[in-house]
Amino acid sequence: MTGLIITGTDTDVGKTVFAAALVAATGARYWKPIQAGLDGETDSQTVQRLADVASMRIVPEVYRLKTAASPHAAAEIDGLEIDVERLEPPATEAGQPQLVIEGAGGVLVPLSRRMLQADLFARWDLPVVLVAATRLGTINHSLLSIEALKRRAIEIRGIAFVGEANDDSERTICDFGKVRRLGRLPQLAELTPTSLATAFKQNFSREDFV
Ligand SMILES: Nc1ncnc2c1ncn2[C@@H]1O[C@H](COP(=O)(O)OP(=O)(O)OP(=O)(O)O)[C@@H](O)[C@H]1O
Ligand SMILES: [Mg+2]
């Protein structure tokens, strides 16, 4: 892994929690280039807490937007426009921990009036992991996300489910979407660095991500 993008079928599906598990399991650094919403803990702070890593493993955000909204709208509220030229992933050198990049919201979230997030992923030319909930509606959201990624020739490393088991939904998405199921992070009653690391180890193979 030189860089792996964590995207999702929606906002609030569990990208940050999954990214934290991945950072802890692989030793990678974490980067959330666009943080929209500064009330409460930011995604970078959540990852640092849940992965239980030193702050040097967290690459600073490029845009810290006040409002929890789509990046294009949050940027406009702050009186600026997101410039994709500023969103180049930090270089990873040989021997250095690699990089987990968390996107904002879902695949087709606008970054500006001109660009969707998936267009930025295509420009980066890095593989993505799609985080999908297992709840009702996930088949539609997941297959739409997969189509949007494939249309832009973005490599999909696989799909990571989050939530209670739903074997039929998971199988249906992987069959129609022709994507690999990487595992499922169960709903954890207590979310701590230890419970998360254990759940990741039990349900995913670290080798799929390095
Ligand atoms: N496996 C899990 N077990 C328990 N709670 C979880 C799990 N995964 C996610 N959550 C909870 O669900 C909520 C949303 O998760 P998370 O912040 O990871 O979503 P996200 O996709 O990163 O959202 P955003 O689009 O805002 O970045 C959080 O409150 C988080 O603690
Ligand atoms: Mg997040």
Side-chain angles (χ1 to χ4, degrees), residues 19-92:
L22 198 53
V23 163
T26 60
R29 294 186 297 160
Y30 170 84
W31 187 42
K32 173 93 177 182
I34 304 167
Q35 170 69 44
L38 298 175
D39 288 343
E41 207 177 40
T42 62
D43 283 6
S44 294
Q45 290 166 337
T46 304
V47 168
Q48 195 183 340
R49 176 173 58 82
L50 284 178
D52 198 15
V53 293
S55 58
M56 59 180 287
R57 293 261 298 277
I58 310 291
V59 179
E61 302 98 334
V62 177
Y63 289 99
R64 290 171 53 86
L65 309 170
K66 283 194 218 77
T67 313
S70 172
H72 79 287
E76 286 176 3
I77 292 167
D78 286 358
L80 50 93
E81 187 181 341
I82 290 175
D83 174 5
V84 291
E85 301 292 337
R86 289 186 57 198
L87 296 175
E88 271 308 299
T92 49

Side-chain angles (χ1 to χ4, degrees), residues 11-17 32 43 102 105 162 186-188 191:
T11 186
D12 240 22
V13 284
K15 296 183 297 292
T16 302
V17 170
K32 173 93 177 182
D43 283 6
E102 180 182 340
V162 178
Q187 193 65 29
L188 300 170
L191 203 46

Side-chain angles (χ1 to χ4, degrees), residues 4-8 18 127-131 156-160 182 209:
L4 187 62
I5 298 165
I6 309 301
T7 189
F18 179 77
V128 310
V129 169
L130 181 67
V131 175
I156 305 173
R157 181 66 56 84
I159 182 156
L182 297 167
F209 303 95

